[in-house]
CSV table of all heavy atoms in Angstrom, one decimal:
chain,number,residue,atom,x,y,z
A,1361,SER,N,-16.1,-6.7,-0.2
A,1361,SER,CA,-16.6,-7.9,-0.8
A,1361,SER,C,-17.2,-7.7,-2.1
A,1361,SER,O,-17.9,-6.6,-2.4
A,1361,SER,CB,-17.7,-8.5,0.2
A,1361,SER,OG,-17.1,-9.0,1.4
A,1362,SER,N,-17.0,-8.6,-3.1
A,1362,SER,CA,-17.5,-8.4,-4.4
A,1362,SER,C,-17.8,-9.7,-5.1
A,1362,SER,O,-17.2,-10.7,-4.8
A,1362,SER,CB,-16.4,-7.6,-5.2
A,1362,SER,OG,-16.7,-7.5,-6.6
A,1363,LYS,N,-18.7,-9.7,-6.1
A,1363,LYS,CA,-19.0,-10.9,-6.8
A,1363,LYS,C,-17.9,-11.2,-7.8
A,1363,LYS,O,-17.7,-12.4,-8.2
A,1363,LYS,CB,-20.3,-10.7,-7.6
A,1363,LYS,CG,-21.5,-10.6,-6.7
A,1363,LYS,CD,-22.8,-10.4,-7.5
A,1363,LYS,CE,-24.0,-10.3,-6.6
A,1363,LYS,NZ,-25.3,-10.2,-7.4
A,1364,GLY,N,-17.1,-10.2,-8.2
A,1364,GLY,CA,-16.0,-10.4,-9.1
A,1364,GLY,C,-14.7,-9.9,-8.4
A,1364,GLY,O,-14.5,-10.0,-7.2
A,1365,GLU,N,-13.8,-9.4,-9.2
A,1365,GLU,CA,-12.6,-8.8,-8.7
A,1365,GLU,C,-12.9,-7.6,-7.8
A,1365,GLU,O,-13.7,-6.7,-8.1
A,1365,GLU,CB,-11.6,-8.4,-9.8
A,1365,GLU,CG,-10.3,-7.8,-9.2
A,1365,GLU,CD,-9.4,-7.3,-10.3
A,1365,GLU,OE1,-9.8,-7.4,-11.5
A,1365,GLU,OE2,-8.3,-6.8,-10.0
A,1366,SER,N,-12.3,-7.6,-6.6
A,1366,SER,CA,-12.6,-6.5,-5.7
A,1366,SER,C,-11.7,-5.3,-6.0
A,1366,SER,O,-10.4,-5.4,-6.1
A,1366,SER,CB,-12.3,-6.9,-4.2
A,1366,SER,OG,-12.5,-5.9,-3.3
A,1367,ILE,N,-12.3,-4.2,-6.3
A,1367,ILE,CA,-11.5,-3.0,-6.7
A,1367,ILE,C,-11.3,-2.2,-5.4
A,1367,ILE,O,-12.2,-1.7,-4.7
A,1367,ILE,CB,-12.3,-2.1,-7.7
A,1367,ILE,CG1,-12.7,-2.9,-8.9
A,1367,ILE,CG2,-11.4,-0.9,-8.1
A,1367,ILE,CD1,-11.5,-3.6,-9.6
A,1368,PRO,N,-10.0,-2.0,-5.0
A,1368,PRO,CA,-9.7,-1.3,-3.7
A,1368,PRO,C,-10.0,0.2,-3.7
A,1368,PRO,O,-9.9,0.8,-4.7
A,1368,PRO,CB,-8.2,-1.6,-3.5
A,1368,PRO,CG,-7.7,-1.7,-4.9
A,1368,PRO,CD,-8.7,-2.4,-5.7
A,1369,ASN,N,-10.4,0.6,-2.6
A,1369,ASN,CA,-10.5,2.1,-2.3
A,1369,ASN,C,-9.3,2.5,-1.5
A,1369,ASN,O,-8.9,1.9,-0.6
A,1369,ASN,CB,-11.8,2.4,-1.6
A,1369,ASN,CG,-13.1,1.9,-2.3
A,1369,ASN,OD1,-13.3,2.2,-3.5
A,1369,ASN,ND2,-13.9,1.0,-1.6
A,1370,GLU,N,-8.8,3.7,-1.8
A,1370,GLU,CA,-7.7,4.3,-1.0
A,1370,GLU,C,-8.2,4.9,0.3
A,1370,GLU,O,-9.2,5.6,0.3
A,1370,GLU,CB,-6.9,5.3,-1.9
A,1370,GLU,CG,-6.3,4.7,-3.1
A,1370,GLU,CD,-5.1,3.8,-2.8
A,1370,GLU,OE1,-4.5,3.9,-1.7
A,1370,GLU,OE2,-4.9,2.9,-3.6
A,1371,LEU,N,-7.5,4.6,1.4
A,1371,LEU,CA,-7.8,5.2,2.6
A,1371,LEU,C,-6.6,6.0,3.1
A,1371,LEU,O,-5.4,5.6,3.0
A,1371,LEU,CB,-8.1,4.1,3.7
A,1371,LEU,CG,-9.3,3.2,3.4
A,1371,LEU,CD1,-9.4,2.1,4.4
A,1371,LEU,CD2,-10.6,4.0,3.3
A,1372,ASN,N,-6.8,7.2,3.7
A,1372,ASN,CA,-5.8,8.1,4.2
A,1372,ASN,C,-5.7,8.0,5.7
A,1372,ASN,O,-6.6,8.3,6.4
A,1372,ASN,CB,-6.0,9.5,3.7
A,1372,ASN,CG,-5.9,9.7,2.2
A,1372,ASN,OD1,-5.1,9.1,1.5
A,1372,ASN,ND2,-6.9,10.4,1.6
A,1373,ALA,N,-4.5,7.6,6.2
A,1373,ALA,CA,-4.3,7.5,7.6
A,1373,ALA,C,-3.7,8.8,8.1
A,1373,ALA,O,-3.0,9.5,7.4
A,1373,ALA,CB,-3.4,6.3,7.9
A,1374,THR,N,-4.0,9.1,9.4
A,1374,THR,CA,-3.4,10.3,10.0
A,1374,THR,C,-2.1,9.9,10.6
A,1374,THR,O,-1.6,8.8,10.5
A,1374,THR,CB,-4.4,10.8,11.1
A,1374,THR,OG1,-4.5,9.8,12.1
A,1374,THR,CG2,-5.8,11.1,10.6
A,1375,GLY,N,-1.4,10.9,11.2
A,1375,GLY,CA,-0.1,10.7,11.7
A,1375,GLY,C,0.0,9.7,12.8
A,1375,GLY,O,1.1,9.0,12.9
A,1376,ASP,N,-1.1,9.5,13.5
A,1376,ASP,CA,-1.0,8.5,14.6
A,1376,ASP,C,-1.5,7.1,14.1
A,1376,ASP,O,-1.6,6.1,14.9
A,1376,ASP,CB,-1.9,8.9,15.8
A,1376,ASP,CG,-3.3,9.0,15.5
A,1376,ASP,OD1,-3.7,8.8,14.3
A,1376,ASP,OD2,-4.1,9.3,16.4
A,1377,GLY,N,-1.7,7.0,12.8
A,1377,GLY,CA,-2.1,5.7,12.2
A,1377,GLY,C,-3.6,5.4,12.2
A,1377,GLY,O,-4.0,4.4,11.6
A,1378,SER,N,-4.4,6.3,12.7
A,1378,SER,CA,-5.8,6.1,12.7
A,1378,SER,C,-6.4,6.5,11.3
A,1378,SER,O,-5.8,7.2,10.5
A,1378,SER,CB,-6.5,6.9,13.8
A,1378,SER,OG,-6.3,8.3,13.6
A,1379,PHE,N,-7.6,6.0,11.1
A,1379,PHE,CA,-8.3,6.3,9.8
A,1379,PHE,C,-9.8,6.1,10.0
A,1379,PHE,O,-10.2,5.5,11.0
A,1379,PHE,CB,-7.8,5.4,8.7
A,1379,PHE,CG,-8.1,4.0,8.9
A,1379,PHE,CD1,-9.2,3.4,8.3
A,1379,PHE,CD2,-7.2,3.2,9.6
A,1379,PHE,CE1,-9.5,2.1,8.5
A,1379,PHE,CE2,-7.5,1.8,9.8
A,1379,PHE,CZ,-8.6,1.3,9.2
A,1380,SER,N,-10.5,6.6,9.1
A,1380,SER,CA,-12.0,6.4,9.1
A,1380,SER,C,-12.4,5.9,7.7
A,1380,SER,O,-11.8,6.1,6.7
A,1380,SER,CB,-12.7,7.7,9.4
A,1380,SER,OG,-12.5,8.7,8.4
A,1381,MET,N,-13.5,5.1,7.8
A,1381,MET,CA,-14.0,4.6,6.5
A,1381,MET,C,-15.5,4.5,6.6
A,1381,MET,O,-16.1,4.4,7.7
A,1381,MET,CB,-13.4,3.2,6.2
A,1381,MET,CG,-13.7,2.1,7.2
A,1381,MET,SD,-13.0,0.5,6.8
A,1381,MET,CE,-13.9,0.1,5.4
A,1382,LYS,N,-16.2,4.6,5.5
A,1382,LYS,CA,-17.6,4.4,5.5
A,1382,LYS,C,-18.0,3.8,4.2
A,1382,LYS,O,-17.3,3.8,3.2
A,1382,LYS,CB,-18.3,5.8,5.6
A,1382,LYS,CG,-18.0,6.8,4.5
A,1382,LYS,CD,-18.8,8.1,4.7
A,1382,LYS,CE,-18.5,9.0,3.6
A,1382,LYS,NZ,-19.2,10.3,3.7
A,1383,ILE,N,-19.2,3.2,4.2
A,1383,ILE,CA,-19.7,2.5,3.0
A,1383,ILE,C,-20.8,3.3,2.4
A,1383,ILE,O,-21.6,4.0,3.2
A,1383,ILE,CB,-20.1,1.1,3.2
A,1383,ILE,CG1,-21.2,1.0,4.3
A,1383,ILE,CG2,-18.9,0.2,3.6
A,1383,ILE,CD1,-21.8,-0.4,4.5
A,1384,GLY,N,-21.0,3.3,1.1
A,1384,GLY,CA,-22.0,4.1,0.5
A,1384,GLY,C,-22.8,3.3,-0.5
A,1384,GLY,O,-22.3,2.3,-1.1
A,1385,GLY,N,-24.1,3.5,-0.6
A,1385,GLY,CA,-24.9,2.8,-1.5
A,1385,GLY,C,-25.4,1.5,-1.0
A,1385,GLY,O,-25.0,1.0,0.1
A,1386,LYS,N,-26.1,0.8,-1.8
A,1386,LYS,CA,-26.7,-0.5,-1.4
A,1386,LYS,C,-25.7,-1.6,-1.7
A,1386,LYS,O,-24.8,-1.5,-2.5
A,1386,LYS,CB,-28.0,-0.8,-2.1
A,1386,LYS,CG,-29.1,0.2,-1.8
A,1386,LYS,CD,-30.4,-0.2,-2.6
A,1386,LYS,CE,-31.5,0.7,-2.2
A,1386,LYS,NZ,-32.8,0.4,-3.0
A,1387,ASN,N,-25.8,-2.7,-0.9
A,1387,ASN,CA,-25.0,-3.9,-1.1
A,1387,ASN,C,-23.5,-3.6,-1.0
A,1387,ASN,O,-22.7,-4.2,-1.7
A,1387,ASN,CB,-25.3,-4.5,-2.5
A,1387,ASN,CG,-26.8,-4.9,-2.6
A,1387,ASN,OD1,-27.4,-5.4,-1.6
A,1387,ASN,ND2,-27.4,-4.7,-3.7
A,1388,GLN,N,-23.1,-2.7,-0.1
A,1388,GLN,CA,-21.7,-2.4,0.1
A,1388,GLN,C,-21.2,-2.9,1.5
A,1388,GLN,O,-20.1,-2.6,1.9
A,1388,GLN,CB,-21.4,-0.9,0.0
A,1388,GLN,CG,-21.7,-0.4,-1.4
A,1388,GLN,CD,-20.7,-0.9,-2.4
A,1388,GLN,OE1,-19.5,-0.9,-2.1
A,1388,GLN,NE2,-21.2,-1.4,-3.5
A,1389,GLY,N,-22.0,-3.8,2.1
A,1389,GLY,CA,-21.7,-4.3,3.5
A,1389,GLY,C,-20.9,-5.6,3.4
A,1389,GLY,O,-20.1,-5.8,2.5
A,1390,ASN,N,-21.1,-6.4,4.5
A,1390,ASN,CA,-20.4,-7.6,4.7
A,1390,ASN,C,-18.9,-7.3,5.0
A,1390,ASN,O,-18.6,-6.2,5.4
A,1390,ASN,CB,-20.5,-8.5,3.5
A,1390,ASN,CG,-20.5,-10.0,3.9
A,1390,ASN,OD1,-19.8,-10.4,4.8
A,1390,ASN,ND2,-21.4,-10.8,3.2
A,1391,TYR,N,-18.0,-8.2,4.7
A,1391,TYR,CA,-16.6,-8.0,5.1
A,1391,TYR,C,-15.9,-7.1,4.1
A,1391,TYR,O,-16.1,-7.2,2.9
A,1391,TYR,CB,-15.8,-9.4,5.1
A,1391,TYR,CG,-16.0,-10.2,6.4
A,1391,TYR,CD1,-16.8,-11.3,6.4
A,1391,TYR,CD2,-15.4,-9.8,7.6
A,1391,TYR,CE1,-17.0,-12.1,7.5
A,1391,TYR,CE2,-15.6,-10.6,8.7
A,1391,TYR,CZ,-16.4,-11.7,8.7
A,1391,TYR,OH,-16.5,-12.5,9.8
A,1392,HIS,N,-15.0,-6.2,4.7
A,1392,HIS,CA,-14.1,-5.4,3.9
A,1392,HIS,C,-12.7,-5.7,4.4
A,1392,HIS,O,-12.4,-5.9,5.6
A,1392,HIS,CB,-14.4,-3.9,4.2
A,1392,HIS,CG,-15.5,-3.4,3.4
A,1392,HIS,ND1,-15.5,-2.3,2.6
A,1392,HIS,CD2,-16.8,-3.8,3.4
A,1392,HIS,CE1,-16.7,-2.1,2.1
A,1392,HIS,NE2,-17.5,-2.9,2.6
A,1393,TRP,N,-11.8,-5.9,3.5
A,1393,TRP,CA,-10.4,-6.3,3.8
A,1393,TRP,C,-9.5,-5.0,3.7
A,1393,TRP,O,-9.5,-4.3,2.7
A,1393,TRP,CB,-9.9,-7.3,2.7
A,1393,TRP,CG,-8.6,-7.9,3.1
A,1393,TRP,CD1,-7.3,-7.4,2.8
A,1393,TRP,CD2,-8.3,-9.1,3.8
A,1393,TRP,NE1,-6.3,-8.2,3.3
A,1393,TRP,CE2,-6.9,-9.3,3.9
A,1393,TRP,CE3,-9.2,-10.1,4.3
A,1393,TRP,CZ2,-6.4,-10.4,4.6
A,1393,TRP,CZ3,-8.6,-11.2,5.0
A,1393,TRP,CH2,-7.2,-11.3,5.1
A,1394,LEU,N,-8.8,-4.7,4.8
A,1394,LEU,CA,-8.0,-3.5,4.9
A,1394,LEU,C,-6.5,-3.9,4.9
A,1394,LEU,O,-6.1,-4.8,5.6
A,1394,LEU,CB,-8.3,-2.8,6.1
A,1394,LEU,CG,-9.8,-2.4,6.4
A,1394,LEU,CD1,-10.0,-1.8,7.7
A,1394,LEU,CD2,-10.3,-1.6,5.2
A,1395,THR,N,-5.7,-3.2,4.1
A,1395,THR,CA,-4.3,-3.4,4.0
A,1395,THR,C,-3.5,-2.1,4.3
A,1395,THR,O,-4.0,-1.0,3.9
A,1395,THR,CB,-3.8,-4.0,2.6
A,1395,THR,OG1,-4.0,-3.0,1.6
A,1395,THR,CG2,-4.6,-5.3,2.3
A,1396,ALA,N,-2.3,-2.3,4.8
A,1396,ALA,CA,-1.4,-1.1,5.0
A,1396,ALA,C,0.0,-1.6,4.6
A,1396,ALA,O,0.4,-2.7,4.9
A,1396,ALA,CB,-1.4,-0.7,6.5
A,1397,THR,N,0.8,-0.7,4.0
A,1397,THR,CA,2.1,-0.9,3.6
A,1397,THR,C,3.0,0.2,4.1
A,1397,THR,O,2.6,1.4,4.0
A,1397,THR,CB,2.2,-1.0,2.1
A,1397,THR,OG1,1.3,-2.0,1.6
A,1397,THR,CG2,3.6,-1.3,1.6
A,1398,ASP,N,4.2,-0.1,4.6
A,1398,ASP,CA,5.1,1.0,5.0
A,1398,ASP,C,5.8,1.6,3.8
A,1398,ASP,O,5.6,1.2,2.7
A,1398,ASP,CB,6.2,0.4,6.0
A,1398,ASP,CG,7.2,-0.5,5.3
A,1398,ASP,OD1,7.1,-0.8,4.1
A,1398,ASP,OD2,8.2,-0.8,6.0
A,1399,ASP,N,6.6,2.7,4.1
A,1399,ASP,CA,7.1,3.5,3.0
A,1399,ASP,C,8.1,2.7,2.2
A,1399,ASP,O,8.3,3.0,1.0
A,1399,ASP,CB,7.8,4.7,3.6
A,1399,ASP,CG,6.8,5.7,4.2
A,1399,ASP,OD1,5.7,5.7,3.8
A,1399,ASP,OD2,7.2,6.5,5.1
A,1400,GLN,N,8.8,1.7,2.8
A,1400,GLN,CA,9.8,0.9,2.1
A,1400,GLN,C,9.2,-0.3,1.3
A,1400,GLN,O,9.9,-1.0,0.7
A,1400,GLN,CB,10.9,0.4,3.0
A,1400,GLN,CG,11.8,1.5,3.5
A,1400,GLN,CD,11.2,2.4,4.5
A,1400,GLN,OE1,10.4,2.0,5.4
A,1400,GLN,NE2,11.5,3.7,4.4
A,1401,GLU,N,7.9,-0.4,1.5
A,1401,GLU,CA,7.1,-1.5,0.9
A,1401,GLU,C,7.8,-2.9,1.3
A,1401,GLU,O,7.9,-3.8,0.4
A,1401,GLU,CB,7.0,-1.4,-0.6
A,1401,GLU,CG,6.3,-0.1,-1.0
A,1401,GLU,CD,6.0,-0.1,-2.5
A,1401,GLU,OE1,6.6,-0.9,-3.3
A,1401,GLU,OE2,5.3,0.8,-3.0
A,1402,SER,N,8.1,-3.0,2.5
A,1402,SER,CA,8.7,-4.2,3.0
A,1402,SER,C,7.9,-4.8,4.2
A,1402,SER,O,8.2,-5.9,4.6
A,1402,SER,CB,10.2,-4.0,3.5
A,1402,SER,OG,10.3,-3.1,4.5
A,1403,ARG,N,7.0,-4.0,4.8
A,1403,ARG,CA,6.2,-4.5,5.9
A,1403,ARG,C,4.7,-4.2,5.5
A,1403,ARG,O,4.4,-3.1,5.1
A,1403,ARG,CB,6.6,-3.8,7.2
A,1403,ARG,CG,8.0,-4.1,7.6
A,1403,ARG,CD,8.2,-3.7,9.1
A,1403,ARG,NE,7.9,-2.3,9.4
A,1403,ARG,CZ,7.8,-1.8,10.6
A,1403,ARG,NH1,8.0,-2.5,11.6
A,1403,ARG,NH2,7.5,-0.5,10.7
A,1404,PHE,N,3.9,-5.3,5.7
A,1404,PHE,CA,2.5,-5.2,5.4
A,1404,PHE,C,1.7,-5.6,6.5
A,1404,PHE,O,2.0,-6.5,7.3
A,1404,PHE,CB,2.3,-6.1,4.2
A,1404,PHE,CG,3.3,-6.0,3.0
A,1404,PHE,CD1,4.3,-6.9,2.9
A,1404,PHE,CD2,3.2,-4.9,2.2
A,1404,PHE,CE1,5.2,-6.8,1.9
A,1404,PHE,CE2,4.2,-4.7,1.2
A,1404,PHE,CZ,5.2,-5.7,1.0
A,1405,ALA,N,0.5,-5.1,6.6
A,1405,ALA,CA,-0.5,-5.5,7.6
A,1405,ALA,C,-1.9,-5.6,7.0
A,1405,ALA,O,-2.2,-4.8,6.2
A,1405,ALA,CB,-0.5,-4.5,8.8
A,1406,SER,N,-2.7,-6.5,7.5
A,1406,SER,CA,-4.0,-6.7,7.0
A,1406,SER,C,-5.0,-7.0,8.1
A,1406,SER,O,-4.6,-7.5,9.2
A,1406,SER,CB,-4.1,-7.9,6.0
A,1406,SER,OG,-3.3,-7.7,4.9
C-alpha cells in the first residue's frame, strides 16, 4: 500500500511454490498485493 505509485518488491518462490515475506520499517503495513506469473507469461495469479 502506498500514497502514490506502489513500487513492487521481488519475491523468490521455492520449487514447491512457497515463499516468505516480511515488512520492514514504519508504515509498511496494511494490505500488500502479491502477483505471480508463469514462465510463458500467459498465466497470472494475484
Side-chain angles (χ1 to χ4, degrees):
S1361 293
S1362 173
K1363 293 181 179 179
E1365 180 182 2
S1366 178
I1367 307 301
N1369 302 306
E1370 296 294 330
L1371 299 175
N1372 295 318
T1374 63
D1376 64 357
S1378 62
F1379 64 93
S1380 62
M1381 60 179 294
K1382 63 180 180 179
I1383 58 174
K1386 295 181 179 179
N1387 300 320
Q1388 294 295 309
N1390 214 321
Y1391 279 106
H1392 283 234
W1393 190 275
L1394 308 176
T1395 66
T1397 304
D1398 72 352
D1399 293 337
Q1400 289 73 41
E1401 296 187 355
S1402 62
R1403 297 196 302 171
F1404 314 103
S1406 300

